[in-house]
Amino acid sequence: MVRCASYSGGMPELPEVESLAHFLRERAVGRSIMAVDVVGIQALKTFDPPVTSLGGLTVTGVARHGKFLDLDCDGLHLVFHLARAGWLRWRDDMSGAKPVRPGKGPLAARVRFAPDDEGLAPGFELTEAGTQKRLAIYVTKNPDEVPGVAALGPDPLDPAFTVDALKRIVGGNRTQIKGLLRDQKIIAGIGNAYSDEVLHAARMSPFKIAGTLTDAQVADLHEAIVTTLADAVERAHGLAAKDLKAEKKSGLRVHNRTGQPCDVCGDTIREVSFADSSLQYCPTCQTGGKPLADRRMSKLLK
């Protein structure tokens, strides 16, 4: 039985990855690994220890670092990042699964566990849609040896992420606040979707320069970050991964809702390009009723 369908709702961000961590804690912890088969060779970013060294080890814990998932296997860590189009599919029994062969399909890796008392051999697959293969897998003795993990900024759901901590982060920073929120080296776990949601909740323009925020605006932004992410985590808690896409979409107020009315004020949600993607916002709630200039042409001329 497949418990998790593939995910195509944009890059998994902190709430979805936290839900997957909870999902794996319930199903994988205490299980012995039979084998880890890497199909998408480009996904494996480490070679020592070899991925074969995970065979026979027991999963003793599951952690999240920003958007990275970390399976502690008797002190050896299987760490992976799902990138923009990756997801996890759990199977209650993989004993009848066909052998994996390298190819151009979505399968990147398969983790198989030893049979349980009922004779079922569960496991999970890491899949990635599309042609831009960015899903990354690491086998390491210390998660901090993974470059992306080592460079992470503070986790916004950590009690240490206070208003004063955010004030120090934005102080003197000349970056637009939308870009700052998405920068994993500054704050871990927020991507394109939840940065839109946070800024809408904070009633703040995505193009506002971070260093110009007043103390009151920093406090409002902090409240929006923590509340938005905590609420999303709570909604996703206990859901099977196949249900996360619908749950995420149903909880979004502005992201991917271009042309629809704002739930708060009724104005029409608008869209502009930003970096390598687009952002959505409400003019009335966030920009004093004024539409933002689209930067597409400026981007092309750079």
Side-chain angles (χ1 to χ4, degrees):
M1 176 181 175
V2 180
R3 288 285 184 88
C4 309
S6 61
Y7 180 83
S8 58
M11 177 180 286
E13 299 179 35
L14 186 155
E16 297 83 57
V17 179
E18 180 61 37
S19 184
L20 281 178
H22 176 79
F23 183 90
L24 289 173
R25 287 183 197 114
E26 291 189 331
R27 291 162 177 80
V29 169
R31 294 190 183 275
S32 175
I33 296 175
M34 282 187 64
V36 177
D37 305 311
V38 178
V39 184
I41 303 302
Q42 76 286 342
L44 186 61
K45 306 302 182 183
T46 55
F47 62 91
D48 184 26
V51 69
T52 53
S53 60
L54 291 166
L57 301 184
T58 299
V59 179
T60 55
V62 179
R64 176 186 60 80
H65 313 286
K67 300 177 189 176
F68 290 82
L69 278 165
D70 170 14
L71 273 66
D72 186 340
C73 309
D74 286 332
L76 196 60
H77 295 258
L78 173 62
V79 180
F80 51 94
H81 189 290
L82 295 168
R84 179 169 293 186
W87 200 239
L88 182 150
R89 298 159 61 98
W90 177 270
R91 296 180 183 270
D92 288 335
D93 187 15
M94 300 187 91
S95 57
K98 296 180 180 179
V100 293
R101 294 186 178 88
K104 297 182 180 180
L107 183 62
R110 178 182 286 167
V111 178
R112 295 180 288 132
F113 296 115
D116 57 23
D117 294 339
E118 298 177 358
L120 300 177
F124 63 86
E125 296 175 338
L126 300 179
T127 62
E128 185 174 21
T131 57
Q132 293 186 347
K133 302 301 184 183
R134 296 179 180 175
L135 187 146
I137 301 169
Y138 308 81
V139 181
T140 179
K141 295 177 181 177
N142 184 348
D144 287 336
E145 294 176 349
V146 175
V149 173
L152 286 174
D155 192 289
L157 294 186
D158 189 312
F161 183 74
T162 61
V163 174
D164 284 341
L166 181 59
K167 186 176 179 179
R168 289 192 293 271
I169 288 171
V170 302
N173 195 306
R174 301 304 300 171
T175 306
Q176 291 172 336
I177 194 65
K178 167 76 175 181
L180 182 144
L181 290 176
R182 289 182 59 186
D183 189 336
Q184 300 304 294
K185 295 178 181 179
I186 296 178
I187 301 174
I190 303 174
N192 195 33
Y194 287 105
S195 57
D196 282 353
E197 297 302 300
V198 164
L199 292 170
H200 180 253
R203 304 181 71 85
M204 188 174 294
S205 168
F207 289 163
K208 188 172 183 61
I209 301 302
T212 66
L213 268 60
T214 65
D215 287 352
Q217 288 173 327
V218 172
D220 288 345
L221 181 61
H222 179 271
E223 173 70 16
I225 292 170
V226 174
T227 301
T228 298
L229 295 176
D231 286 352
V233 169
E234 181 63 28
R235 291 195 307 271
H237 184 76
L239 291 180
K242 66 182 178 62
D243 299 321
L244 286 173
K245 177 184 175 182
E247 173 50 50
K248 178 180 180 180
K249 184 177 180 181
S250 69
L252 298 176
R253 288 187 167 189
V254 289
H255 185 73
N256 274 351
R257 293 191 61 212
T258 304
Q260 299 180 40
C262 171
D263 290 342
V264 175
C265 71
D267 194 0
T268 300
I269 294 169
R270 296 181 182 245
E271 173 180 314
V272 294
S273 64
F274 186 86
D276 59 347
S277 55
S278 60
L279 65 84
Q280 289 80 43
Y281 70 101
C282 169
T284 294
C285 290
Q286 296 175 253
T287 60
K290 298 178 180 179
L292 295 171
D294 198 322
R295 310 291 176 89
R296 281 190 181 89
M297 188 55 64
S298 300
K299 175 185 168 188
L300 290 173
L301 293 175
K302 285 183 180 179

